[in-house]
Amino acid sequence: MNLQQFVKMLPKHLVYAPIYRKGVEIKSKDGKILESTGKNPFGESYERQFSPDDVTYVLEKYPDRFGAIGLFTGLKGKGLVILDVDKNLAIHKKKWGNTLTGAPCITSTKKNAAKYIFSVPEELWSSVKGRFLSEQTSTCYEILWNRQGVIFGSYPGSVTSSEGNYGFEGDLDKIPTAPDWLIAEMKEKEDPNIIKKDITKIKTNKFLLS
């Protein structure tokens, strides 16, 4: 299945973002010209809610600039949360047991890593937050809340993995509620001394089409 076919099958009630291809020149809101990492969302998707049809329009109009689709989480994302395991997935799956069962799963060429999509009950939206990867504590996973995560299309690779494509398994119409342990972690107070990986990029990645 190619990217356009995947997008056209997505449920219309969720909120998405076209994702720039790796290496494409993009312009930030303050006018700086930057090179896309392959995970940067189209800036307009922050300003309004992009449906599958909106994403399809951008992908078909600018095929050389956009090569993937992201899914919004948190308040904008209708209460979705993405558990993004960066390494040591096998160890964590033993720890978490069957709590990942039924969650849509995104994989890439990165070994022993995956993303899982859950929903957070609406009454908890104001009392939870996400978590970043931490260089200081060697955290192996992050919790995407009020951010977007790429779910299909071109994968840009990393220090430990080659470029390729994201794989997707599951049903976005049947997203399970986040397990109790994940909700508990989203309620924990974050250590102010944690060094957050790529925090500057995350705060400034609202990119315009240039």
Side-chain angles (χ1 to χ4, degrees):
M1 182 186 302
N2 65 30
L3 178 58
Q4 284 79 3
Q5 291 170 330
F6 176 82
V7 172
K8 289 177 179 178
M9 294 175 60
L10 291 173
K12 297 184 182 300
H13 66 283
L14 300 179
V15 186
Y16 307 95
I19 304 297
Y20 285 104
R21 292 184 182 278
K22 182 179 180 180
V24 168
E25 283 194 352
I26 51 181
K27 184 186 295 183
S28 66
K29 280 198 169 183
D30 59 6
K32 293 181 180 178
I33 302 298
L34 306 170
E35 188 174 285
S36 170
T37 64
K39 297 183 179 181
N40 305 110
F42 180 28
E44 191 177 329
S45 62
Y46 284 97
E47 310 303 328
R48 63 183 180 88
Q49 298 197 2
F50 265 57
S51 69
D53 289 342
D54 294 322
V55 174
T56 295
Y57 174 80
V58 173
L59 294 177
E60 292 181 347
K61 188 171 183 180
Y62 306 102
D64 295 334
R65 294 184 60 76
F66 295 90
I69 182 171
L71 178 69
F72 274 99
T73 65
L75 303 184
K76 181 180 178 69
K78 311 292 181 67
L80 297 186
V81 60
I82 296 177
L83 173 66
D84 187 351
V85 185
D86 194 57
K87 58 184 177 180
N88 298 335
L89 177 61
I91 294 173
H92 284 90
K93 287 178 79 169
K94 288 182 180 179
K95 173 184 175 183
W96 296 329
N98 63 358
T99 61
L100 303 181
T101 302
C105 177
I106 300 97
T107 55
S108 67
T109 63
K110 181 180 284 189
K111 295 181 180 180
N112 216 8
K115 299 174 186 173
Y116 296 89
I117 304 172
F118 296 97
S119 64
V120 175
E122 188 170 359
E123 63 270 20
L124 299 178
W125 291 2
S126 63
S127 60
V128 297
K129 58 186 177 181
R131 190 176 80 182
F132 294 90
L133 288 173
S134 170
E135 295 176 355
Q136 180 173 316
T137 61
S138 299
T139 303
C140 297
Y141 60 91
E142 59 184 332
I143 302 169
L144 308 187
W145 178 257
N146 289 329
R147 297 160 60 190
Q148 67 81 30
V150 185
I151 60 171
F152 197 80
S154 297
Y155 171 67
S158 70
V159 174
T160 59
S161 57
S162 60
E163 294 184 23
N165 293 292
Y166 287 98
F168 183 93
E169 270 188 43
D171 188 345
L172 288 175
D173 278 316
K174 297 179 180 178
I175 299 173
T177 301
D180 291 343
W181 67 263
L182 181 56
I183 295 290
E185 289 198 18
M186 294 178 73
K187 287 183 175 181
E188 285 182 2
K189 185 175 181 181
E190 190 171 64
D191 183 348
N193 296 315
I194 283 179
I195 301 172
K196 297 174 182 176
K197 180 181 179 182
D198 293 334
I199 184 66
T200 303
K201 292 181 184 177
I202 291 163
K203 283 185 176 180
T204 60
N205 69 348
K206 297 184 180 181
F207 297 102
L208 306 175
L209 182 61
S210 58

